[in-house]
Amino acid sequence: RLASIDDNPTITHQPWDTTEPLMADFGWSRGRIPKFHATSPFHRQMISRRMVTELIRKDYLIVGGARAPALRILADHVVELAKAGDTDSRQHLAHFLHDPLMVDKAFDEYPRRFRDLHSKYCMMTKLKKSVDNTALYFIEYKNRDLSDNHKGEDYSKGPERFFLPPRVLETEKGVQRPPHLQMAFDRWASKFKTEEFHHWWRMRHAKLRFWGVRNVPHPSEVDPLWSEKEEEEWHNEMLANTGDIDEDIDLDAELNVEGEGGAPSGGDGPQNAKRSF
């Protein structure tokens, strides 16, 4: 028997439809996503999901090697799903990403942000090579000026701490971020300012020294990543850079909003109350 003969040609050998977004196979032939190095196909899929999730969260990412073109292709697939806007596309993206909040962010922002673009939503810029001679690339989404979450951010220089928000241009000092995403970022950053994380950080230094890693300071010489004084100074700086709100918003008050089609809706039920995050 020849190995090329298929006794049951009605059964396909493809585990999924590779023509759908985010489902393309990895390889080096035309129509495939560049196959970057990983320990297994499952590991490669997990790396792809983590890269796409962090790209949506930060709006930029620095990756090396063949991961850069792979991330650029997957980022375009995310925008295509977001511009489709149907329930199947939302479930498709939610199954791929690691953070469900990033699914809502993509579907809320990208259709309006990329309404004038029909392809190539992501941009890849080559940076200087790293210490181990690996080619580094700066991956970012286009049309940042139309983004409510990342408008005015300056990525030419990183923040003083990795858990602080990105730097903002002088012309955009008073920009307001969506409250629900700002709250999610603050909750993520707050865990690095606790005593528990400082204890884990010192224990990590102790383990690295025990494992024989060189140039690791002693745990007693490790300072906390954040202090109460720095928290107070940073909070005052954020309040000074935040634009003044013209009117006070009462979150407890129920506001009636217009119904679909612009016609005013009657009734004072909860379905007519304006949602606030």
Side-chain angles (χ1 to χ4, degrees):
R1 301 284 296 179
L2 298 177
S4 60
I5 297 179
D6 190 0
D7 296 332
N8 193 355
T10 60
I11 300 178
T12 178
H13 293 284
Q14 293 182 353
W16 55 74
D17 187 7
T18 56
T19 60
E20 294 188 2
L22 301 177
M23 291 290 106
D25 196 6
F26 290 90
W28 295 110
S29 59
R30 183 176 179 85
R32 294 188 176 186
I33 300 179
K35 189 176 182 180
F36 54 86
H37 175 72
T39 58
S40 63
F42 176 80
H43 185 216
R44 187 176 295 108
Q45 189 76 357
M46 290 298 103
I47 293 176
S48 302
R49 297 185 179 190
R50 185 170 63 248
M51 288 194 304
V52 174
T53 304
E54 295 304 316
L55 176 62
I56 299 176
R57 187 192 314 274
K58 301 169 57 178
D59 205 57
Y60 80 95
L61 207 62
I62 299 178
V63 294
R67 298 186 183 189
L71 177 59
R72 184 185 59 82
I73 295 174
L74 295 175
D76 291 345
H77 291 179
V78 170
V79 179
E80 293 176 0
L81 291 175
K83 295 182 72 173
D86 54 343
T87 304
D88 292 340
S89 300
R90 183 180 287 267
Q91 292 178 350
H92 192 165
L93 185 58
H95 181 75
F96 186 83
L97 299 183
H98 286 167
D99 191 350
L101 182 61
M102 297 301 104
V103 181
D104 298 335
K105 177 183 177 181
F107 274 76
D108 292 343
E109 175 183 325
Y110 292 166
R112 181 179 59 86
R113 180 175 176 178
F114 301 105
R115 64 177 180 268
D116 297 333
L117 297 180
H118 304 285
S119 62
K120 299 181 180 179
Y121 311 101
C122 201
M123 183 167 51
M124 182 172 63
T125 306
K126 189 173 183 180
L127 304 176
K128 294 182 179 180
K129 292 186 178 181
S130 60
V131 180
D132 56 352
N133 205 26
T134 303
L136 297 179
Y137 298 88
F138 188 86
I139 313 295
E140 59 180 333
Y141 276 119
K142 300 179 181 178
N143 291 358
R144 186 175 298 123
D145 295 339
L146 299 179
S147 173
D148 296 334
N149 304 283
H150 305 284
K151 180 180 180 181
E153 292 183 353
D154 183 16
Y155 301 139
S156 60
K157 186 178 181 181
E160 298 181 0
R161 302 288 196 278
F162 67 91
F163 50 83
L164 294 180
R167 299 176 183 271
V168 181
L169 298 175
E170 293 294 337
T171 56
E172 300 289 345
K173 281 296 184 181
V175 64
Q176 296 285 342
R177 303 303 182 191
H180 61 293
L181 291 175
Q182 184 65 40
M183 187 185 306
F185 180 85
D186 294 341
R187 183 175 182 179
W188 168 82
S190 62
K191 63 182 179 181
F192 302 105
K193 306 176 183 179
T194 59
E195 293 291 339
E196 291 79 4
F197 180 82
H198 178 52
H199 174 72
W200 178 89
W201 191 233
R202 294 176 61 184
M203 292 297 297
R204 174 60 58 176
H205 281 71
K207 291 180 180 180
L208 290 175
R209 290 172 61 92
F210 178 76
W211 293 335
V213 181
R214 297 178 295 177
N215 301 329
V216 177
H218 193 270
S220 61
E221 302 175 358
V222 177
D223 298 329
L225 296 180
W226 203 245
S227 62
E228 296 182 359
K229 182 179 179 180
E230 291 175 325
E231 174 69 22
E232 184 178 358
E233 294 177 354
W234 178 77
H235 185 69
N236 295 334
E237 182 181 358
M238 291 296 295
L239 290 179
N241 295 335
T242 304
D244 298 334
I245 301 178
D246 297 336
E247 56 181 359
D248 295 336
I249 301 177
D250 188 4
L251 298 180
D252 297 332
E254 295 184 356
L255 303 178
N256 294 332
V257 296
E258 295 182 355
E260 187 177 359
S265 57
D268 298 332
Q271 67 276 9
N272 298 324
K274 186 176 181 181
R275 294 185 60 186
S276 58
F277 295 94

